[in-house]
Amino acid sequence: MENFNELLQKYADFIVRVGVNPQPGQTLIINCPLEGAPLARLCVRSAYEAGARDVQVNWQDDAVTRIRMELGGEDALTDHKGWQLRRYLDYAESEGGVCVLHLIADDPELFAGLDGAKISRVNSANRSFMQPWREYTMNDRVQWSIAALPAEPWAKKMFPELDTAAAIEAQWKLIFDTCRVTGGDPVGEWQKHLDRLNELGAKMNALDLESVHFESANGTDLTVGLAEQAVWESAGSKNEKGVPFLPNIPTEEVFTAPHKDKVDGIVYGTKPYVFNGQLIKNFHVTFKDGKVVEHGADEGADLLGQLLDTDEGARHIGEVALVPASSPINRSGKLFYNTLFDENAACHIAFGDSYPGTTVGGTGLSKEELAARGMNHSSLHEDVMIGAEDSRITGKCRDGRTVPLFENGVWVL
């Protein structure tokens, strides 16, 4: 690829300086697959140049992860040790603090053919063990960001007609394009983009909505009531000290918190969804009084059931997000088989936990106070895509007005 090294450097600088935004004196923790070593090295240097006190890299390998899940016993796979949690909390509780960058290159079918129930139990135990750290990220107490890089299984899934080298090159080009790196000024491009998303979020908040209604020709007819004092947020976030960061790269969404007991109707998935390293395709779920009461899928129906049975909160939704069909990810015409990208190609909902920041003053409220506002609580937060090219979305204001938000899949607000 022409100018690849230059683009890779721009990408690294962008995801570090704008994405996770390490501050002088902070420690940056990078979680990265082995394939991402060249990008991780650039990120390490960029972080030190930005003033980071230290940079720690945790290496991961999908092949080892699959072997452990296949052959390891559940007692060993769920035998958590204190250091696994403390390696995050010790830095978070230190004077300089911490921020975390996740570099991902997930194989969409990493666990295909393995025992889905076992995978679900192990991952649920892992999430429960890491819950104290998860409180930091869900409440934006620390900066965190997720960005992607190609890997052979993922690239071949997206570009099966190409050989491995060509597929990886095509995937790099797509990542650079959709992350606004190709144009040469990702910081400037993203600032304009974030300004637009912030403007849309402000318009949504000014409407004082009590619910949003989704309709499309595939049969979706879903009303999502909103939590009390719900706040529509856009891509950019700030930690508890006011430091800005960009959690997801790329991002196209404006999102808020549903009321966990006020979601009714049926919704059809519009893109495959990866859960526990396996695919769920052409799913549907029916809600009554906020809870999933019926569900199915053409592929992965049992897997969907395992997701919904994770805990009580998994059958309710904690997020509703509006994403236009005109987003760069959707315009690319490619299915990524990766939620980081696919959720930014279509409107989506998330089974499970609510983000406390999507209700007024939520990051300072207790779990009981959040629940009283209708915020959902669960050990998981799993985004699934429901937006279609013909999606029509209307909002019902608390003063009784009905306002159009989307027509034919795009904003009209």
Side-chain angles (χ1 to χ4, degrees):
M1 183 190 305
E2 186 178 357
N3 299 327
F4 174 76
N5 290 334
E6 178 184 345
L7 290 170
L8 190 66
Q9 183 67 64
K10 286 181 180 292
Y11 186 48
D13 287 339
F14 171 68
I15 60 181
V16 169
R17 307 294 180 90
V18 178
V20 73
N21 193 14
Q23 298 297 290
Q26 273 192 321
T27 293
L28 170 63
I29 296 175
I30 300 176
N31 295 317
C32 182
L34 296 179
E35 298 92 334
L39 176 60
R41 294 178 190 123
L42 294 177
C43 289
V44 170
R45 177 172 293 277
S46 185
Y48 276 118
E49 291 173 350
R53 175 181 179 273
D54 192 16
V55 184
Q56 299 283 332
V57 182
N58 299 322
W59 300 105
Q60 301 154 349
D61 181 65
D62 271 358
V64 169
T65 300
R66 180 182 170 92
I67 293 169
R68 292 187 72 239
M69 190 65 76
E70 179 184 4
L71 302 178
E74 283 189 49
D75 58 336
L77 294 171
T78 58
D79 182 16
H80 302 109
K81 304 302 183 184
W83 67 266
Q84 295 168 299
L85 174 61
R86 294 306 315 179
R87 64 178 173 171
Y88 293 100
L89 296 184
D90 283 347
Y91 284 114
E93 295 166 359
S94 67
E95 182 178 351
V98 73
C99 50
V100 180
L101 173 62
H102 302 279
L103 299 177
I104 64 170
D106 297 340
D107 178 355
E109 298 180 280
L110 176 62
F111 295 136
L114 301 188
D115 182 349
K118 173 186 177 182
I119 296 165
S120 187
R121 291 191 298 269
V122 169
N123 287 345
S124 180
N126 292 344
R127 286 191 296 267
S128 296
F129 176 76
M130 293 299 293
Q131 186 62 29
W133 166 246
R134 193 165 174 268
E135 294 289 336
Y136 275 85
T137 56
M138 288 296 289
N139 285 279
D140 289 345
R141 294 176 62 186
V142 298
Q143 307 108 271
W144 58 276
S145 190
I146 306 173
L149 61 115
E152 179 180 344
W154 184 21
K156 287 294 290 179
K157 182 70 176 180
M158 287 188 65
F159 300 96
E161 74 281 4
L162 301 179
D163 63 35
T164 298
I168 289 175
E169 181 174 344
Q171 195 176 33
W172 265 125
K173 183 179 186 305
L174 202 53
I175 290 173
F176 288 151
D177 286 348
T178 56
C179 292
R180 295 175 167 83
V181 175
T182 307
D185 180 22
V187 174
E189 288 291 317
W190 273 95
Q191 191 55 60
K192 288 189 291 186
H193 177 53
L194 294 178
D195 287 346
R196 169 60 175 159
L197 291 178
N198 287 335
E199 177 187 350
L200 288 167
K203 287 183 176 180
M204 292 293 287
N205 285 319
L207 291 173
D208 192 23
L209 298 173
E210 67 175 29
S211 66
V212 289
H213 182 210
F214 293 82
E215 298 173 280
S216 56
N218 63 10
T220 288
D221 185 358
L222 183 73
T223 299
V224 179
L226 303 186
E228 298 300 320
Q229 301 184 59
V231 176
W232 289 90
E233 292 197 331
S234 56
S237 296
K238 292 183 179 180
N239 74 0
E240 58 187 358
K241 296 181 179 179
V243 176
F245 64 99
L246 192 57
N248 292 339
I249 300 173
T251 187
E252 305 287 333
E253 64 184 305
V254 176
F255 62 98
T256 195
H259 192 294
K260 67 182 184 64
D261 299 323
K262 296 182 179 180
V263 181
D264 291 281
I266 188 168
V267 64
Y268 289 83
T270 52
K271 293 181 184 295
Y273 169 65
V274 179
F275 179 63
N276 287 345
Q278 300 171 87
L279 285 174
I280 300 172
K281 293 183 179 179
N282 298 324
F283 71 89
H284 72 273
V285 289
T286 302
F287 292 88
K288 181 174 174 54
D289 297 329
K291 185 176 182 179
V292 175
V293 294
E294 184 271 337
H295 60 86
D298 289 351
E299 180 180 325
D302 290 345
L303 192 62
L304 177 59
Q306 291 164 14
L307 183 161
L308 296 171
D309 288 339
T310 299
D311 54 31
E312 183 178 350
R315 284 184 175 261
H316 301 258
I317 59 174
E319 178 189 350
V320 58
L322 305 186
V323 178
S326 58
S327 79
I329 297 95
N330 195 55
R331 288 203 311 267
S332 74
K334 294 299 294 185
L335 182 64
F336 279 79
Y337 300 97
N338 182 288
T339 301
L340 177 63
F341 288 88
D342 290 334
E343 73 167 358
N344 287 296
C347 294
H348 53 273
I349 55 176
F351 297 112
D353 218 16
S354 300
Y355 289 111
T358 51
T359 183
V360 174
T363 56
L365 300 180
S366 67
K367 289 181 180 177
E368 292 74 20
E369 290 170 322
L370 290 169
R373 292 191 182 180
M375 304 286 278
N376 194 35
H377 180 65
S378 171
S379 66
L380 57 74
H381 178 98
E382 298 288 339
D383 298 282
V384 295
M385 286 58 75
I386 65 169
E389 295 287 338
D390 67 344
S391 287
R392 181 173 186 266
I393 307 173
T394 54
K396 183 179 179 181
C397 305
R398 296 189 188 278
D399 62 10
R401 290 178 298 140
T402 297
V403 294
L405 305 174
F406 272 48
E407 292 286 351
N408 294 317
V410 296
W411 286 99
V412 294
L413 191 62

